[in-house]
């Protein structure tokens, strides 16, 4: 059975993370994703990061661009822009992440391209969206985390603001764009028309802040950093055993009582500061201080085994080196070996959602720059969308 997006063609005119991540997710589901890159340099992520494996392309680029084909086009060139227009006639989706206004100057804005192909679904991903007073500001994950509130609520009280180590604004914008694109594809089945999608890093980071904004509106106070703790339940955080830190998740009253039984500290439930979840949240620091001496009496493994046996969520804190080789990651095939013409093969994260009938596959390695330029030009010529003279093109 073919993957679910077989027959859908996506033009990926994006760089770095949010757009390429979105397009890779679509490619993993079977879409034919054509990566359109500037000649000579390509996606700027090809040159990013301070380390390399065997080839010139960075591991960051390799991680975000599997299952795609590459063609190099100079979109300031009339001849190469005609190649883009020919590709648009064959496409279902286009994703771009230039600063607002740039696409129009290059003659690849939605108004221009939808006139060529009214069925085109056109997604723009930018720092702050196409409208509003901040629309022209440069968009980076750190900036979006800062102005969305994420940075202010991360880390520990009184310490330097801590960026979420996962680029939640970038990846969130890619994920939200993916679901919006698929929704538009479904909607097009009824209307026969494409539409314009406007996504931003700022809105992605803010939209993911559902717990934090709930606390703001429920209490009237802006959330403050609370380390590994949770804003809705307590105790739900990292605690220190005799040999290091581990995490517990007593997320409801029943789990709280089970935790106390394992600790042998049932008297804490009689303390009015801790008898309800609301009280425990108000007195989170006092609660952890009261339990801390008990946790220090046994090792992490001892506590985890006892808590899990009692039905209380608890586990080790793994670093990424440990997480990717954990028995669960192995069982769920969350690390894949990707073949590559230069690297030989390299490790990459697998597919986070499993489809029973049409499982995702790694069909293509991340492309070399313009690796598929000749075959794509030949296809467009064979369809009568480009003249024979376009076979060689103006790009290297």
């Amino acid at each position: 059975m073919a993957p679910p997006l077989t027959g859908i063609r996506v033009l990926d005119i994006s760089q770095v993370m949010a757009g390429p991540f979105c397009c890779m997710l679509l490619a993993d589901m079977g879409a034919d994703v054509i990566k359109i890159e500037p000649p000579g340099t390509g996606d700027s992520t090809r040159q990013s990061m301070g380390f390399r494996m065997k080839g010139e392309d960075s591991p960051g680029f390799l991680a975000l661009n599997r299952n795609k084909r590459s063609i190099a086009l100079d979109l300031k060139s009339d001849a190469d822009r005609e190649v883009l227009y020919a590709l648009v006639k064959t496409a279902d989706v286009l994703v771009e992440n230039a600063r607002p206004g740039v696409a129009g100057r290059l003659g690849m804005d939605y108004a221009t391209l939808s006139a060529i192909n009214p069925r085109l679904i056109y997604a723009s991903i930018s720092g702050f969206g196409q409208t509003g007073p901040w629309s022209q500001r440069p968009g980076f994950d750190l900036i979006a985390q800062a102005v969305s509130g994420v940075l202010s609520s991360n880390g520990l009280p009184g310490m330097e603001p801590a960026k979420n180590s996962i680029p939640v604004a970038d990846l969130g914008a890619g994920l939200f764009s993916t679901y919006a694109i698929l929704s538009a594809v479904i909607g097009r089945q009824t209307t026969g028309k494409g539409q314009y999608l406007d996504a931003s890093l700022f809105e992605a980071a803010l939209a993911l802040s559902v717990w934090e904004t709930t606390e703001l509106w429920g209490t009237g106070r802006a959330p403050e950093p609370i380390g590994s703790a949770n804003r809705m339940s307590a105790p739900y955080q990292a605690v220190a055993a005799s040999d290091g830190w581990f995490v517990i998740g007593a997320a409801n009253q029943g789990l709280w009582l089970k935790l106390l039984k394992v600790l042998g500290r049932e008297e804490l439930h009689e303390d009015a500061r801790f008898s309800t979840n609301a009280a425990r949240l108000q007195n989170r620091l006092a609660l952890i201080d009261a339990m801390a001496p008990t946790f220090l009496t046994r090792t992490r493994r001892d506590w985890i085994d006892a808590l899990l046996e009692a039905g209380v969520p608890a586990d080790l804190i793994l670093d990424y080196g440990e997480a990717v080789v954990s028995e669960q990651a192995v069982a769920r095939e969350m690390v894949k070996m990707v073949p590559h013409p230069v690297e030989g093969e390299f490790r990459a994260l697998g597919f986070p959602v499993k489809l029973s009938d049409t499982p995702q596959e790694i069909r293509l390695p991340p492309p070399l720059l313009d690796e598929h330029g000749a075959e794509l030009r030949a296809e467009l010529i064979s369809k009568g969308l480009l003249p024979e003279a376009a076979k060689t093109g103006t790009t290297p």
Side-chain angles (χ1 to χ4, degrees):
M1 191 179 298
L5 296 185
T6 298
I8 297 292
R9 173 168 283 187
V10 178
L11 305 184
D12 178 5
I13 316 181
S14 66
Q15 300 193 45
V16 188
M17 184 168 290
F21 182 60
C22 165
C23 292
M24 185 179 73
L25 296 178
L26 297 171
D28 287 348
M29 292 294 184
D32 174 22
V33 175
I34 299 170
K35 190 170 182 69
I36 298 172
E37 305 183 70
T41 58
D43 182 334
S44 61
T45 312
R46 289 184 185 271
Q47 286 82 47
S48 70
M49 306 184 79
F51 57 94
R52 291 290 184 275
M53 292 186 286
K54 296 177 181 177
E56 293 296 321
D57 290 335
S58 77
F61 175 84
L62 300 179
L64 291 163
N65 289 284
R66 67 186 175 214
N67 286 335
K68 302 178 185 180
R69 297 189 286 167
S70 171
I71 182 171
L73 296 177
D74 178 1
L75 297 180
K76 296 179 181 178
S77 153
D78 290 341
D80 279 10
R81 201 177 302 116
E82 288 303 317
V83 177
L84 170 65
Y85 293 162
L87 285 168
V88 165
K89 292 177 182 177
T90 72
D92 297 280
V93 177
L94 183 146
V95 178
E96 63 89 17
N97 66 348
R99 190 180 297 191
V102 171
R105 292 196 292 273
L106 292 174
M108 50 164 276
D109 55 301
Y110 176 64
T112 300
L113 301 188
S114 64
I116 295 171
N117 178 0
R119 290 177 55 82
L120 183 68
I121 294 161
Y122 186 118
S124 291
I125 305 174
S126 61
F128 295 94
Q130 303 297 305
T131 60
W134 295 355
S135 64
Q136 289 301 311
R137 293 186 184 182
F140 292 92
D141 180 85
L142 173 62
I143 307 302
Q145 287 198 35
V147 297
S148 65
V150 171
L151 204 65
S152 73
S153 62
N154 245 18
L156 294 168
M159 303 291 285
E160 174 187 352
K163 180 178 74 68
N164 194 310
S165 65
I166 296 172
V168 292
D170 263 323
L171 296 179
L175 284 167
F176 285 131
S177 297
T178 301
Y179 105 83
I181 287 167
L182 296 176
S183 297
V185 168
I186 294 170
R188 191 181 62 181
Q189 295 174 357
T190 301
T191 67
K193 294 178 60 178
Q195 60 178 298
Y196 183 70
L197 312 179
D198 179 4
S200 76
L201 275 62
F202 167 68
E203 288 159 286
L206 194 54
L208 291 170
S209 301
V210 288
W211 262 186
E212 288 70 22
T213 51
T214 298
E215 179 177 337
L216 167 67
W217 292 321
T219 67
R221 299 186 302 273
E224 297 180 353
I226 55 174
S228 64
N230 183 271
R231 301 189 183 279
M232 296 295 162
S233 305
Y236 189 104
Q237 65 184 86
V239 293
S242 63
D243 61 344
W245 294 83
F246 70 103
V247 291
I248 57 172
N252 58 50
Q253 196 73 353
L255 292 173
W256 160 246
L257 295 174
K258 290 179 180 179
L259 170 65
L260 293 183
K261 186 172 182 180
V262 172
L263 293 179
R265 297 292 306 276
E266 288 91 340
E267 82 281 359
L268 290 177
H269 186 58
E270 304 306 317
D271 190 319
R273 296 175 300 168
F274 311 139
S275 59
T276 67
N277 185 61
R280 291 192 293 276
L281 284 171
Q282 289 291 323
N283 298 282
R284 183 188 294 111
L285 296 179
L287 171 64
I288 295 301
D289 285 345
M291 294 190 298
T294 305
F295 282 122
L296 288 171
T297 63
R298 299 170 69 179
T299 67
R300 291 174 296 174
R301 190 73 266 165
D302 286 343
W303 283 122
I304 291 167
D305 289 345
L307 289 167
L308 290 179
E309 185 176 356
V312 180
D315 223 319
L316 296 170
I317 299 171
L318 304 182
D319 63 30
Y320 282 114
E322 295 167 324
V324 296
V325 297
S326 66
E327 59 184 0
Q328 187 65 14
V330 171
R332 297 290 289 175
E333 299 182 333
M334 275 306 294
V335 178
K336 296 284 190 180
M337 298 305 298
V338 180
H340 191 269
V342 176
E343 303 295 340
E345 62 178 7
F346 63 91
R347 285 187 293 272
L349 290 176
F351 310 110
V353 178
K354 278 62 176 176
L355 278 68
S356 63
D357 293 339
T358 56
Q360 304 96 312
E361 296 178 347
I362 297 172
R363 307 183 309 280
L364 295 170
L368 304 178
L369 179 59
D370 202 38
E371 180 179 352
H372 306 93
E375 72 180 52
L376 287 166
R377 288 173 183 273
E379 175 201 314
L380 297 172
I381 292 168
S382 71
K383 292 181 177 180
L385 299 175
L386 283 178
E388 188 71 24
K391 181 177 293 185
T392 55
T394 61
T395 58

